[in-house]
Every structure is written in C-alpha cells, then in structure tokens.
Amino acid sequence: MSTSIPNGSSVLEDEASDVLHEPLLMQYQQPLRLRRSQSNTTSQLAIVGSNLCPIESLDYEIIENDFFKQDWRSRGKIQICQYIFMKWIFCLLIGLTVSLLGFFNNLAVENIAGMKFVVTSNMMLARKFMVAFLVFASSNLCLTLFASVITAFIAPEAAGSGIPEVKAYLNGVDAPAIFSFRTLIVKIVGSICAVSASLNIGKAGPMVHTGACIAAIVGQGGSKKFRLTWKWLRFFKNDRDRRDLVTCGSAAGIAAAFRSPVGGVLFALEEMASWWRSALLWRSFFTTAVVAIVLRALIDICLRGECGLFGKGGLIMYDVTSANISYHFMDVPPVLLLAIIGGILGSIYNFLLNKVLKLYNVINGKGIAFKIILACSISVFTSCLLFGLPWLASCRACPSNLSEPCPTIGRSGNYKKFHCPPGYYNDLASLFFNTNDDAIKNLFSKDTDSEFHHSSMLIFFATCFFLSIVSYGIVVPAGLFVPVIVTGAAYGRFVGMLVGSNSNLNHGLFAVLGSASLLGGSMRMTVSLCVIILELTNNLLLLPLIMLVLLISKTVADAFNGNIYDLIMTSKGFPYLETHAEPYMRQLTVRDVVTGPLQIFHGYEKVGNIVHVLKTTGHNGFPVVDEPPVCMSPVLFGLILRANLLTLLKSKAFLRNPAPVGSDAFVRFSADDFAKKGLGHVDKVEDIELSEEEMEMYIDLHPFTNTSPYTVVETMSLAKALILFREVGLRHLLVIPKISGRVPVVGILTRHDFMPQHILSLHPMLMRSRWKRLRFRFPQLDKFI
Amino acid sequence: MSTSIPNGSSVLEDEASDVLHEPLLMQYQQPLRLRRSQSNTTSQLAIVGSNLCPIESLDYEIIENDFFKQDWRSRGKIQICQYIFMKWIFCLLIGLTVSLLGFFNNLAVENIAGMKFVVTSNMMLARKFMVAFLVFASSNLCLTLFASVITAFIAPEAAGSGIPEVKAYLNGVDAPAIFSFRTLIVKIVGSICAVSASLNIGKAGPMVHTGACIAAIVGQGGSKKFRLTWKWLRFFKNDRDRRDLVTCGSAAGIAAAFRSPVGGVLFALEEMASWWRSALLWRSFFTTAVVAIVLRALIDICLRGECGLFGKGGLIMYDVTSANISYHFMDVPPVLLLAIIGGILGSIYNFLLNKVLKLYNVINGKGIAFKIILACSISVFTSCLLFGLPWLASCRACPSNLSEPCPTIGRSGNYKKFHCPPGYYNDLASLFFNTNDDAIKNLFSKDTDSEFHHSSMLIFFATCFFLSIVSYGIVVPAGLFVPVIVTGAAYGRFVGMLVGSNSNLNHGLFAVLGSASLLGGSMRMTVSLCVIILELTNNLLLLPLIMLVLLISKTVADAFNGNIYDLIMTSKGFPYLETHAEPYMRQLTVRDVVTGPLQIFHGYEKVGNIVHVLKTTGHNGFPVVDEPPVCMSPVLFGLILRANLLTLLKSKAFLRNPAPVGSDAFVRFSADDFAKKGLGHVDKVEDIELSEEEMEMYIDLHPFTNTSPYTVVETMSLAKALILFREVGLRHLLVIPKISGRVPVVGILTRHDFMPQHILSLHPMLMRSRWKRLRFRFPQLDKFI
C-alpha cells in the first residue's frame, strides 16, 4: 500500500473551472437541492485550493466536498461573465507582451551583434587583425560573462532552453521557481546577451519559456506582496487555468520567435501540452493571432527605418519564395537520402548532447565559479573558431551581375570581405562571421549555388554541429532550434552541392530540407515543425517534400533514441507521465505497486494525530474513513488534501468532542482560504503553533473531504489504472479492495507509482524481461564516451 | 438504476492495441506470472471482441478477463512487428486510394461539366438560346436524376456530406451502413454526377466520407464473404484501430479535396476526432503526405496535357500570390466589419439550413418518389436561375490590355460571353455559368477590381446563399465547404467593392477574407480552416488577417447557435457525447440518473437465465456478482458483454454443475471467436437454438468477465463521472454503493445516461432552471419559419 507523494509535492485541483472552461457562456441559477447542510452562507467564489510546492502539481479532477459545493452554488452569472472576459483579456495581454518582448529581443540582438561586427569589420578593413580578434573575443566574453553571472547568481532556473521545464509543468511537474519574475528577467536579458555573444545557441527556446513565464505571472492573480490584487483575478487561482494560460504562452513564444502563429499553436499542441481541449486550441490561436498582428505592425514601423542601424525587423523570416519551384520524380531519391542521413545525424546529435549535458552537470555541480568558468571558456573557444576558421578558406572573386554589393563590408550580406582584397570575398566568413540568423539567410538563399566551396560547407557544418552541442549546457539561457536549423542548413546545402546539377532543386532549397531533416531527427515533431518551416520560408509549394523529409528523419531517428526534450527531462529527473503504458504494466496489478504504510484519518480526527502524521510523512492526500460507532461498518468517506488540513489547523477550527461541525464551517471559511497559493508560497506544518490543550481537541474533516475521489479495484492492471490516471489528469487514485469487509481502502496511487524506476525497484525481475522499446542500442558506445 | 443501452447498440472494446499503438516498437517476452490458470494453450492473438450493430460503438477501455490475459501473453515479437508494419501500410494504402479517387473525381467533374458548358456555349454563339437552355437544364436534370436514384435506391446513407456521420462514428456512434462498400461507390459516383449537374453543392464533404469509408473498409480485415482474409489483418478487428484509420481517412479526404495536407490533419484533429493521441497525429500526417505527393505527381502528368480537354488538374488551388501584399492599420476596420457581418451571416446560414433540413426530412420521409422529385425540382430550379439570372446583367465592354482572351468562349475564363456581342462580356454569366471552382477562381483573382457590377455581385451572393441552403438536403451526396466558400467570396468581394479604393487590399483578397468569415461563421473551426485557406490560396502573408477574421466570425456566430455539423448531428438524433458537462450535471449524483431494474448474472449462471435476460433486455453489458456460497459476501466480480455471452451460448460451452471451467476455456476458444465482427455483422440471441436440457445447464462466466471495469461511487456528481466516461472513452461505467454490505453494484451508466434529453426526462424541474448556454435566442423567429 502506498501514499507516496514525496514531500514538496503540491496539491492541486482544478476546481469549478470545469463548468466554466467552455468558450460558450453557460449559466445556472440556483442549487436544485442542498445536501447535508442547508446553510446559505456568504462563502465566496469557489476553487478549493492548495499550496504549490517544489515538485509536481496538477489535476483536472473535480474536488467534491461539502464546503466547495456550498461555495460553488453561490456563484452568479456575473462572476461567470467576469471569468470568461478575463480569460480572453489574459490571452490578449500575453499575446501583446510576448510579441513586444520578442520584437525587443530581436532588435537588441541585431543591434548589439551588429555593432560588434561593424567595429570588428572596420578594424579588419584597416588590417588590424589581431586587434580585431581581441575586440571580437573580448566583447563576446564580456557578454557571456554577464549572461552567465546573472543566470548563475540570480536565477539558475533560467539556464538552458526552458522548453523541457515548461513541458514538464504542463504534464503536472512543477520544477521550483521556473515561472518566477526573477527567472523571466534573467531569461530575457541573458538570452539577448548570450545570443549577441555569437554563442551557437538559439533564442526560440528562451522565447517559449519567456512566454510561459509571462502567462504564469499574468495568471497568478496579482501579487499580495506588492498589493496588486484584484478580485477578478481570483478566478485563476487554480492549476487548470494556470496551465491553460501557460500553454497559450508557450504557443505565443514560438509565434513570436519565428513569426509563425499557426506553427506556434501546433507546437504547443504537439510538443508541449499533455492535456488538450478544443477550447484551448481556440484560445491559443487567439493569442498567436495577437502576436502575428502586433509583430506585423511593429515591422511596418521598422521598415520605415525607425529601429536603429540594424532594425530591419530582424525577425526571422527566410523568404525562399521563388516563382518556379518545380521538382520531378528524379529529385526524390537525393531528398530521401538526405532525410535518412539527417535522421541519423539528429539521433547522434541527441545522443551526444545528452552525454555532454551529463558531463556538464558534474562540472556545474562543483560550484558557481565552475559554471561561470565553463561558460567563459566556451565563449573564448567559440570566438577562436569563428575568427580562426575563415582563414582556412581561400578568397574567391566576386561574381559579376550581383544585385547586392560584393564584398559586403560591415553589415550583413551574403559576401563577407574578411581578410580578402577588394573584389574578393571569404565564403567561410560569410557564414561564421555573422549572426546565426544571417548565416541561415545565406544558406537558404537562391541563385547562390556557386557561392561556397565544398570544403567550406563541410567545415561550417562540422563546427556548428560540434559547437551547438557543447554550447547548450552552459549556464546561460540557450535554445536549440536555431543551432539545429543552421547546422541542418549547412548539411542540406552540402548534400545539394554533392548532388549538383543532377537535381532541379537549388541549393537553398536543399538547405531548407536539410534543416527540416535535422529538426525532425532531433526534435521529432511532425505537423508543427512542418508548419513552422513553411511559415519561416514562406513557400507552400515545398510542402510535399518537407513532409516527406520530416516523416523519414523522425522515423529513422526514433529507432535510435528519444526526443531531445524528453532526454533532457529524464536527465533532470522530472517524473514525466507518459501517455502510453509500458508493456510490463499489463502484467502487474495496482496492488503490486502500492507500498508503505497507509495513513488514514477518521471523520472526526484528533488534532494531535493530524499534526503528527503531517510532520512525519510527506504525503499530500489522506483517505478519510468513518468507523463504528459513526457508522455500521468502516466506510471510505473520501480523500482530504494536506493543504486543506493545514488551512484547518491554521484557522484552529477545533471541536471539543468528535461531533459534526455543521454549518459553522461555511461561515468560518471563505474560498480564498482554500484557493491555490501563488507561485512559491508554501504552508508548513512546522509553522503552526498549537497548545497542549488544542492538540487534544478534534476536527470534523467531513465538510472538507472530497467525497467522491476516483477509485480502482486492487486487481486492476497497472496499465489500465494508468489510462484513468493519465487521461483524467489525477493526482491521487484510491485503491479499494476487491472483497469488501476488510479496510475500505488499501492504498493510494500517485504519479510516482507509475514511474518505471519505482516499479522496477519493486519488481527487479522485470529488468530482465525484454520489455524495452525496440531500439538499436550501442552499449559499447556508452562505455566509450 | 440503469443498464440502458438500447438494443442495436454494439459492444466494442479496444483491446490489446493499447500496448501496440505507440509509434515505437515495444516488446516483451514472457508472462511474468500466470494467474488462476496455468495452461499454455494455443490461443491466438488477442483482441477480445464483440459484434457491431446499428448504433453506437466504442471505447478505449482495456478488457481484462482471464481469457484475454492468457491470450495476450501468447503474443510474440513478430506479431507486434506485423501489426506495426500493417498500420503504416494501411495508411499508405488509404493515402494512395484517396488521392487517386480525389484526382479522378476532379477530372470527371471537370470533363463532364466542361463538355456541358462547351456544348451550351456553342449553341449560345449560334444564338439558339432556347435550345441551349433546354440542353443545359436537361443534362443537369439527367445527372441529378441519376445521382438521386442511385442514392435513394442503393445507399441512402450516402446522401449529404457525410461529415456528421463520420464525426459521430469517431465519437462512438455507429450509424448503420455508413462505411459499407455500397455507400462508398454511390458516394463517389453520386458526388461526381451531382457536382457536374451544376447544383450548388460541394465535393469536399463527400471526399471526407469517401476517405473514411476507404479507411474503414481497409481496416475491416478483408471479407469472409469474398474469401479475402489474411491473418495479418486480424490485428485490426477492434474498434480502436478502426477509429484510428477512419481518422486518417478523413484527414486524407480534406487533403485530397483541397490539396491541403496540413489542413487535412488539422481538420481531423479539430473537427472530427473525439479522442486524439500524438501517435495519431503522426500517422494522419503520413497519410496526407502520401496524398500530397501523389497529387503532385498526377498534376505533373496532367500539365503535360494527358488528362483530356479539361484536365488542367482541376484540383482546387486558388493561387492569390501577389508579390506586393501590404496592408496597414487603416485596412483593419473594414476587415473587422466584414468578419462581424460574416459571422452573423454564418449563423443565419446554419439556422436556415437546419430549418430547411427539417422540412426536407418531412418530404423525404414520404417515400423514395418524393425524394427524387424533390431533387429533380431543385435541379430544374437551379438550372433556371443559373441560365436566367445572367440576362439581368447588362453587357460590359472588354477591358483592354488583358492577358487572357475576352470574351472567353466555351472554356473557363474570367470573361464569359453569354449573350453579349463580340468584344463584350456578361459579368454575371462569368460567375453563374461556370463550375463553382471556376467561379471561386474568378472571385479570388486579382487585377479584376472593375470586372463586376455591384448589382451583379449582390445577385450572385443572394442566389448562392439561397441555393446552397435548399440544395444540401436533397438525396444526393453533397458537401457544404464549396458552397460556403463561393457564397463567402461573393460576400467578401461585395464588401471590397463598397470599400473601394479606401483600402490597399484588392477585391480578390476581400473575397478570400469573405470566404474565411462565412466558413468561420458556419463551421466554427479555427486553426484548421486557417491552414486550409492558406493552402488553398498559397499566400502566407494574408495569415494575420485570416486569423483575425476567423476568430471574430466564430465568436460572433457562437453567440447565436452551434456548428453546422453539430446541428445536423442533433437533427439526425446521434447521441454525441460532448467533452464538457452541462452545469446542471454538477447538481446531480450518478445515483440520480441510473434507472430501471439492474440485470445481474452470477459467476456460475444458468443457461436458461442468460437466454431469458438476453431476449428480454437490450443491454450490452451485465455485472457479474459472486454470492454465497461461492464467497463470504456478495462480491462484484466484473462486467460481461452481451457479445461474449452470445459467443459462449453459440459454442455451447456448458457445464452440468456450477463449477469452475478451468483451463478448458482457453483450449476451446480462439481469440477470433471474440474478435470484433466486420461491419454490419450482428449475432442475435434468437438465432441460437438450445435444447431443454441445455437450458438447465450452467456457464462459468468467470474467465470471460472483465474483472476490473471502471467504477464510480454512487455519490459522485454526474459531471465528474462524465469526465471519466468521456476522457477514458468508456461504454459502461459501473456504479458501486457508498456503503458496502448491500448489493455490490447499484447500476450501470452508459452514454445514454449522460444525454441531456435522458436527464431532463428524469428531472423535468431542471428544464425550468436557466442552465442553458448564454445565447441570443429568437423564439418568435422559430415560430415564424
């Protein structure tokens, strides 16, 4: 038997919102009949709550206890209208804020990195190469140092992409402080600095995290600390609404990062969300529509030249529209080959990234100084490569009849001068000595089939592949999308150069397909990546080829290992609940996995007992059982949450004798007492002081107990219980005995009881059974690295 | 208490597939331990089945009975690989077939309708107007007559769009014969004829139904009648896999109809599917990718001129790419207005269509002759309007400097000559005297801002609006997409003409936005419509405006009534299970809705009893209860399905005494005996002949009983039980008493117990409570029409 959520788990129930969450207004007027208690107290709007703690939170379950029922009935039509109104206002707010931030982010990166390149290029022009390198490397180092210092000291949660954390949150796992205001600020500033520092990292992942942060903060309902509360905001003090907002926020993040509103919605749907409703589709669509419209307006302003030197929007949109894309059957074999190798490369990428992350975890674990030294050394190393490698390439003469100046000096362009004489350009510098966005633009551009050497492309590909793997794990906000796109583009363009004139496709299109194959091989999304690439490149005619490439590269890569975000989540130890059951779960019954002594409370429980149990266990939910003489035989009355017990203890709503508290309960408490607390607020049993006398008193738990928790019979297979647990989005699942008459409840299942690690530790013989997914495995490689 | 599925319901459980459905290969080797029976019989691959009957089918529940467990353990790695291989092969097959059919469909319509217009135009040229009209009207009549006759006589299920039926099927409601081979053939042929007959109906809806039909037939696992069975196909003899295939099929249908692969996937996701998994996203994406690639190849062939006179592909793709789409803030107000009015028009459209359908149901109910007469009169009426209305328009002089010939004679083009003198064209004829596809192309085309009169556009809009409403309900396969698009385009273009030069947008773009607004107002989808329109028009730069229009028109229309497909489903009486609970469901407990006497079987049950119960009730699931002396106190052993009982009765696996049947059960039966039957195969208890002696014998139900059905306690609110029922996809939900000791089960909840009609009939006082959705209602309008 088990009641097992480790301490630090948070309790959460999605209340009342259930009736409210539909896009259509619903109304109801009066309680049809009241049960048990007839008192019509003044209790306010419902949402029976809980406190939020370090790890884990969620469910879509409706809590049904007398207190809440009472409270729910008192809601009026106006409150529902307020709720719906606020829901859309919040989406609007999220869309506005995220698009402004995304725009600001791009503008800052463009201008900081642009200034850096202009200064360096001017020195190169004056042939002061050493000084140029020193300026380049030291400005990169300063930016990286700043980004890593603020990340390491102020908000370590802001390091990395943030997508795994947000994905885990939407699955019900609250990593601590991922949505705090600190994290948000560090994420934005750090991301700008790190990207400007020419590190091979992206800004899409941080944008997703930023969007989710904004959504979570918006949905937190103001701040008591800063006295920013508003009664309309109380409706959102529950997990379900917060999760919905965070989903919209992450969609807005992708929409702002790539100017890809539909892709953003699909990304949130396919990759981020664990539970999805069509109402959410509509709201996230609205959010990303706001992003698209605002960005469009801002770009209009920039196109009028009001955004500084490098303010041509800078928002990624690699236009590859060319009027005459035509491809025939003979173009398919090279594309297939590209997709297969891209899939293999993607899985190698995931494998290596995972290994490097493990290594970095060891280094970063040694202290903040080590973290910062690691980040700085990667920066110096990157600067050396970016500045050093172009020297390997020989200068090439500028082609005639170009529409753009050649060589381009200072500002971004396809033909960088670097150290070459006038009239010549350095093809490697055009890729390396540029922001990633400009490099991608170069690689995707058409009519440049003869711009690059084979060797340059190969060097660029290898360097990007390597750099993006070693850059991700350092202590700065860092995304994976752009590095993968740029690496894939180099790979695709190289394939295109090999295929040469045997294909109708130009090298720019090969680069797009190469990006698709590496994205598919690494991130393993389908529809969302497809739409993102289409929206990035603005060319619908490529659609069939992109679909083909994504399908093949994902299939190939899936044969080797998992999605990059899942690997990161696993390495971070998040108890992510998968949709499907592992095969061996069908062999086990729920009885086989519930462990440990079960803590049960009685309907009228002694205060001392409650305090003792809360202090000695970390459980979050406790079955409440009525025993004789209260009733004829032991009856499972329901489930009470730790948070509610703490609220009761704090309020000292005690009784001298074990007797019903009656309607008193509804007067004494308001729904706010039980509402979900803001991010990071945790009640602790140790903070509650009780006298000896109080410890001998009783609490009537009945009005605060969820009287109809979901239950399963002990003989049900674990796989079947998992379906219920996962689909309904539960946090606690009570296990009842097959044969009544014994205790009415034999255990509680929680998320942790479904984790393979837990099950395998209980049943080690399952380890030997070959139940694992069919995948090619290379154990010797693991040993080697 | 209630066990209530009406007779004719089918039983269905999604078996074993649960372990198999993930995209990744899983494997397991041996049973970890065997329970109860240790016999290692030769029982084959699992999938405990049931028979499929007229109405209702589904769930995602895992059936756990000893027989199945035994069977499941005997599955090998190779069988799982076979299953996964077949899954993808089926998707490939569906994609191939649907794209070929879609292409053939388009080609046939182009050529039949094209020939008709060429012949008529030639007569017009010769100024034989009366003869031209007679030829036009009679060819339309013949085509309509043929389509309606085959529909009415051979497959009445093929009438209409088919989308509501497929949607209901994916929700778990099997309308009879919707996926039969007959239906498929009639749908294809009928749709070609009806569209060629210039009726104002579409071919997208029928394509979706066709795709779903093909998927269902492919997934049926061959045909015993035609001896087309293959042992690999047995894996798909269950509801879950069939539903998955049908989802892929409907995605392929939209993909083929609009050349919109991503839109197809999203349509299936947003509108069709009631349960969705990410694995399904991937498979449907694969299916539509196949469609996109095949269509692309076929169009290549046609572009070489090998597809007949009108074989320029004909596949819808209204290219509105224009290099310089730019719009500013001042363009937004007219677009907003367009969206709001579009939403209102959409809801009026739905309202009127619903009324007309009710009227038509009365007419069609009077007999086949009435159906056909109705169809024919609509055809004649349409021909009169199409031929007559252009005479209202005055001839206009051809503009100079056109890239295309003016007036166009015979073949499709923007400037139809009709009755005008040379050098003049008739703008109304360019719209009316054309296929719908060409009319849409005209309306969407740019640089034609001065082509149409205001009055012509208004006449065209009004006629289309009216005709599409009266044409849908007749007894031919008829879609709604294209009529709505053409009507919306006319509306949008009219708005564009009113706005005139006050906007940067050309009239063609206004027409696109108008289509979007009417689609949004009528079909109420968001992301999928957005992507379909983008893929149709091949212009990503319009995205922000289209998103805006769709959001607004959907919001406005939702304030008045529901989605058109939901209205049609309601009028057809499908018990569609909504995702959300009605507010009053929170006021009721499950005990309040379970009705009627509960039929319970004992673990060892008399054959006579079983036969009696099966004959006298229509229930599909029966609780099995063990009572003393088998055990100490009454224990709920599990749930047994009607189909399994029938299989047991047919096999005459009877015992002389109430004693365990032991391992005998596993030898006697193979999994095929319990597998889901093909479409339309129903076992009946009346067909089983039993002797008096046999009637006195016993059956041991234990090995065939699902020992761990999902249960809820009787005090749970109906809303909470609905969440479990809907999310897990159940068919039966057992209700257990709060206090044990009485009977161990108090009722069974089925889909029908959650239907508002059922609940309101039990609790009429709920009718008076104002629990309905907040919508503007016009009861006086209902009376008036």
Side-chain angles (χ1 to χ4, degrees), chain A residues 92-224:
Chain A
L92 179 69
L93 260 177
I94 293 169
L96 278 175
T97 324
V98 172
S99 51
L100 287 172
L101 275 178
F103 180 75
F104 168 72
N105 196 331
N106 269 290
L107 215 61
V109 168
E110 283 261 311
N111 279 296
I112 296 175
M115 283 306 295
K116 191 179 70 186
F117 283 114
V118 165
V119 169
T120 333
S121 295
N122 287 340
M123 288 172 178
M124 301 281 288
L125 260 186
R127 305 197 75 77
K128 297 184 203 156
F129 296 125
M130 206 56 211
V131 181
F133 172 69
L134 287 178
V135 169
F136 181 70
S138 59
S139 58
N140 285 348
L141 185 62
C142 288
L143 288 166
T144 310
L145 188 66
F146 180 69
S148 62
V149 164
I150 58 171
T151 311
F153 283 98
I154 303 176
E157 301 80 17
S161 133
I163 291 179
E165 283 85 353
V166 178
K167 189 175 173 183
Y169 173 79
L170 293 175
N171 188 262
V173 184
D174 281 13
I178 49 161
F179 294 140
S180 70
F181 195 68
R182 273 187 302 127
T183 309
L184 174 64
I185 299 296
V186 169
K187 197 98 198 180
I188 297 167
V189 177
S191 169
I192 292 173
C193 293
V195 174
S196 306
S198 292
L199 289 172
N200 199 356
I201 55 175
K203 53 197 173 190
M207 271 311 295
V208 172
H209 192 175
T210 304
C213 261
I214 290 169
I217 291 169
V218 160
Q220 206 186 126
S223 159
K224 272 193 187 161

Side-chain angles (χ1 to χ4, degrees), chain B residues 500-640:
Chain B
S501 57
N502 294 323
S503 171
N504 288 316
L505 298 170
N506 70 47
H507 295 180
L509 296 182
F510 265 109
V512 173
L513 296 176
S515 293
S517 75
L518 206 61
L519 282 170
S522 168
M523 315 216 162
R524 316 286 166 84
M525 289 171 266
T526 51
V527 187
S528 49
L529 277 181
C530 181
V531 174
I532 290 173
I533 293 169
L534 288 180
E535 290 186 300
L536 268 180
T537 57
N538 192 20
N539 195 329
L540 272 167
L541 296 171
L542 270 180
L543 184 60
L545 286 183
I546 289 176
M547 291 178 97
L548 193 71
V549 167
L550 282 174
L551 280 166
I552 292 172
S553 63
K554 177 178 154 70
T555 312
V556 169
D558 271 342
F560 295 98
N561 52 24
N563 172 336
I564 184 74
Y565 297 123
D566 289 347
L567 291 178
I568 296 174
M569 270 198 293
T570 311
S571 78
K572 292 203 172 194
F574 294 142
Y576 189 86
L577 203 61
E578 295 285 346
T579 328
H580 66 279
E582 298 282 348
Y584 60 81
M585 289 189 185
R586 299 194 59 134
Q587 312 271 12
L588 298 170
T589 64
V590 291
R591 195 174 37 198
D592 296 329
V593 297
V594 289
T595 51
L598 179 66
Q599 299 290 353
I600 290 178
F601 287 128
H602 296 111
Y604 306 105
E605 186 60 83
K606 236 184 179 173
V607 174
N609 258 355
I610 296 177
V611 171
H612 175 73
V613 169
L614 290 184
K615 277 188 178 161
T616 51
T617 68
H619 305 165
N620 257 305
F622 302 92
V624 175
V625 172
D626 274 334
E627 283 185 355
V630 177
C631 51
M632 300 290 283
S633 59
V635 169
L636 172 64
F637 185 78
L639 182 79
I640 194 157

Side-chain angles (χ1 to χ4, degrees), chain A residues 413-627:
Chain A
N414 271 1
Y415 301 92
K416 281 266 174 183
K417 185 172 178 297
F418 209 64
H419 68 295
C420 294
Y424 285 79
Y425 72 95
N426 184 319
D427 61 345
L428 257 181
S430 308
L431 299 171
F432 276 124
F433 208 59
N434 235 336
T435 58
N436 275 333
D437 284 4
D438 284 329
I440 296 173
K441 257 180 211 142
N442 272 2
L443 290 169
F444 282 5
S445 61
K446 56 174 177 168
D447 300 333
T448 49
D449 285 4
S450 55
E451 183 182 343
F452 301 102
H453 286 287
H454 280 71
S455 60
S456 305
M457 200 47 71
L458 203 58
I459 291 172
F460 183 66
F461 164 68
T463 315
C464 279
F465 193 84
F466 174 71
L467 271 184
S468 63
I469 287 171
V470 299
S471 304
Y472 177 76
I474 61 176
V475 64
V476 295
L480 281 169
F481 263 100
V482 172
V484 170
I485 291 176
V486 73
T487 312
Y491 155 66
R493 188 124 184 162
F494 183 68
V495 172
M497 290 161 103
L498 292 183
V499 174
S501 57
N502 294 322
S503 171
N504 287 317
L505 298 170
N506 69 47
H507 296 178
L509 296 182
F510 265 109
V512 173
L513 296 177
S515 294
S517 75
L518 207 60
L519 282 170
S522 168
M523 315 215 162
R524 316 286 166 82
M525 290 170 266
T526 51
V527 187
S528 49
L529 276 182
C530 182
V531 174
I532 289 173
I533 293 169
L534 288 180
E535 291 186 301
L536 268 180
T537 57
N538 193 21
N539 194 329
L540 272 167
L541 296 171
L542 271 180
L543 184 59
L545 286 183
I546 290 177
M547 290 177 97
L548 192 72
V549 166
L550 282 174
L551 280 167
I552 291 172
S553 63
K554 177 176 153 70
T555 312
V556 169
D558 271 342
F560 295 99
N561 52 24
N563 172 335
I564 184 73
Y565 297 123
D566 289 346
L567 290 179
I568 296 175
M569 269 197 294
T570 310
S571 78
K572 292 203 171 192
F574 294 143
Y576 189 85
L577 204 61
E578 297 284 346
T579 328
H580 65 280
E582 298 282 349
Y584 61 80
M585 288 188 185
R586 298 193 61 134
Q587 311 272 13
L588 299 169
T589 64
V590 292
R591 194 176 36 197
D592 297 328
V593 297
V594 288
T595 51
L598 178 65
Q599 300 288 354
I600 290 177
F601 287 127
H602 296 111
Y604 307 105
E605 186 59 82
K606 236 183 180 174
V607 173
N609 259 355
I610 295 177
V611 170
H612 174 72
V613 168
L614 290 185
K615 277 187 178 162
T616 52
T617 68
H619 305 164
N620 257 306
F622 303 91
V624 175
V625 171
D626 274 336
E627 282 185 356

Side-chain angles (χ1 to χ4, degrees), chain A residues 25 27 32-33 62 64 68 282 526 535 543 586 592 708 710 717 720 724 766 770-771 774, chain B residues 25 27 32-33 62 64 68 282 526 535 543 586 592 708 710 717 720 724 766 770-771 773-774:
Chain A
L25 299 180
Q27 67 184 85
L32 298 169
R33 49 195 163 129
I62 304 178
E64 299 190 317
F68 166 66
W282 198 33
T526 51
E535 291 186 301
L543 184 59
R586 298 193 61 134
D592 297 328
S708 52
Y710 288 109
S717 79
K720 195 167 171 179
L724 168 61
L766 286 171
R770 292 179 50 216
W771 51 266
L774 262 188
Chain B
L25 300 182
Q27 67 182 85
L32 298 168
R33 50 197 161 128
I62 304 179
E64 299 190 316
F68 166 66
W282 198 33
T526 51
E535 290 186 300
L543 184 60
R586 299 194 59 134
D592 296 329
S708 52
Y710 288 108
S717 80
K720 196 167 171 178
L724 169 61
L766 287 170
R770 292 180 49 217
W771 51 266
R773 293 180 183 167
L774 263 188

Side-chain angles (χ1 to χ4, degrees), chain B residues 145-223:
Chain B
L145 188 65
F146 180 69
S148 63
V149 164
I150 58 171
T151 311
F153 282 98
I154 303 178
E157 301 79 17
S161 133
I163 291 179
E165 284 86 354
V166 178
K167 190 175 172 181
Y169 173 80
L170 293 176
N171 189 263
V173 183
D174 282 13
I178 48 161
F179 294 141
S180 70
F181 195 68
R182 275 186 301 127
T183 310
L184 175 64
I185 299 295
V186 169
K187 198 97 198 182
I188 296 168
V189 177
S191 169
I192 291 173
C193 293
V195 173
S196 306
S198 292
L199 289 172
N200 199 358
I201 56 175
K203 52 195 173 192
M207 270 311 295
V208 172
H209 192 176
T210 304
C213 260
I214 289 169
I217 291 169
V218 160
Q220 207 186 126
S223 158

Side-chain angles (χ1 to χ4, degrees), chain B residues 81 112 214 486-487 552 569 689:
Chain B
C81 289
I112 296 174
I214 289 169
V486 74
T487 312
I552 292 172
M569 270 198 293
E689 283 175 24

